[in-house]
Coordinates of all heavy atoms in Angstrom, one line a residue:
Chain B
K2 N 8.7 -29.1 -9.7 CA 7.9 -30.3 -9.4 C 6.6 -30.3 -10.3 O 6.0 -29.2 -10.4 CB 7.5 -30.4 -8.0 CG 8.7 -30.7 -7.1 CD 8.2 -30.7 -5.6 CE 9.4 -30.8 -4.7 NZ 9.1 -30.5 -3.3
W21 N -5.7 -26.9 -0.1 CA -4.4 -26.8 0.5 C -3.3 -26.4 -0.4 O -2.5 -25.5 -0.2 CB -4.1 -28.1 1.2 CG -2.9 -28.0 2.1 CD1 -2.8 -27.6 3.4 CD2 -1.5 -28.4 1.7 NE1 -1.5 -27.6 3.8 CE2 -0.7 -28.1 2.8 CE3 -1.0 -28.8 0.5 CZ2 0.7 -28.3 2.7 CZ3 0.4 -29.0 0.4 CH2 1.2 -28.8 1.5
L22 N -3.3 -27.0 -1.6 CA -2.3 -26.7 -2.6 C -2.5 -25.2 -3.1 O -1.5 -24.5 -3.2 CB -2.4 -27.6 -3.9 CG -2.0 -29.0 -3.6 CD1 -2.4 -29.9 -4.8 CD2 -0.5 -29.2 -3.4
K25 N -1.0 -22.8 -0.7 CA 0.4 -22.8 -0.7 C 0.9 -22.1 -2.0 O 2.1 -22.1 -2.3 CB 1.0 -24.2 -0.6 CG 0.7 -24.9 0.7 CD 1.4 -24.3 1.9 CE 0.8 -24.8 3.2 NZ 0.9 -23.9 4.3
I58 N 3.5 -36.5 -7.1 CA 4.5 -35.4 -7.2 C 5.7 -35.9 -7.9 O 6.4 -36.8 -7.4 CB 4.9 -34.9 -5.8 CG1 3.6 -34.4 -5.0 CG2 5.9 -33.8 -5.8 CD1 3.2 -35.2 -3.9
V68 N 0.9 -39.4 -2.6 CA 0.2 -39.2 -1.3 C -1.2 -39.7 -1.5 O -2.0 -39.2 -2.3 CB 0.2 -37.7 -0.8 CG1 -0.5 -37.6 0.5 CG2 1.7 -37.2 -0.7
N72 N -3.7 -36.2 3.4 CA -2.8 -36.4 4.5 C -1.9 -35.2 4.6 O -0.9 -35.1 3.9 CB -2.0 -37.7 4.2 CG -1.1 -38.1 5.3 OD1 -0.6 -37.3 6.1 ND2 -0.7 -39.4 5.3
L73 N -2.3 -34.3 5.6 CA -1.6 -33.0 5.7 C -0.1 -33.1 5.9 O 0.7 -32.4 5.2 CB -2.2 -32.2 6.8 CG -3.3 -31.3 6.5 CD1 -3.9 -30.7 7.8 CD2 -2.8 -30.1 5.7
S74 N 0.3 -34.0 6.8 CA 1.7 -34.0 7.2 C 2.6 -34.5 6.0 O 3.6 -34.0 5.7 CB 2.0 -34.7 8.5 OG 1.4 -36.0 8.4
R75 N 2.0 -35.6 5.3 CA 2.7 -36.1 4.1 C 2.8 -35.1 3.0 O 3.8 -34.9 2.4 CB 2.0 -37.4 3.6 CG 2.3 -38.6 4.4 CD 3.5 -39.3 3.8 NE 3.3 -39.9 2.4 CZ 4.1 -39.8 1.4 NH1 5.3 -39.2 1.6 NH2 3.9 -40.3 0.3
L76 N 1.7 -34.4 2.8 CA 1.7 -33.4 1.7 C 2.7 -32.3 2.0 O 3.4 -31.9 1.1 CB 0.3 -32.8 1.6 CG -0.8 -33.5 0.8 CD1 -2.2 -32.9 1.0 CD2 -0.4 -33.6 -0.7
A77 N 2.7 -31.8 3.2 CA 3.6 -30.7 3.6 C 5.0 -31.1 3.4 O 5.9 -30.3 3.0 CB 3.3 -30.3 5.1
S78 N 5.3 -32.4 3.7 CA 6.8 -32.8 3.6 C 7.2 -33.0 2.2 O 8.4 -32.9 1.9 CB 7.0 -34.0 4.5 OG 6.4 -35.2 4.0
V79 N 6.3 -33.4 1.2 CA 6.8 -33.7 -0.1 C 6.5 -32.6 -1.2 O 7.1 -32.6 -2.2 CB 6.2 -35.0 -0.7 CG1 6.7 -36.2 0.2 CG2 4.7 -35.0 -0.8
V80 N 5.6 -31.7 -0.9 CA 5.2 -30.7 -1.9 C 6.2 -29.6 -1.9 O 6.6 -29.1 -0.9 CB 3.8 -30.2 -1.7 CG1 3.6 -28.9 -2.6 CG2 2.8 -31.2 -2.1

Side-chain angles (χ1 to χ4, degrees):
Chain B
K2 286 177 187 169
W21 186 85
L22 290 170
K25 301 284 163 210
I58 299 110
V68 181
N72 183 335
L73 265 174
S74 49
R75 278 270 293 138
L76 279 170
S78 69
V79 297
V80 168

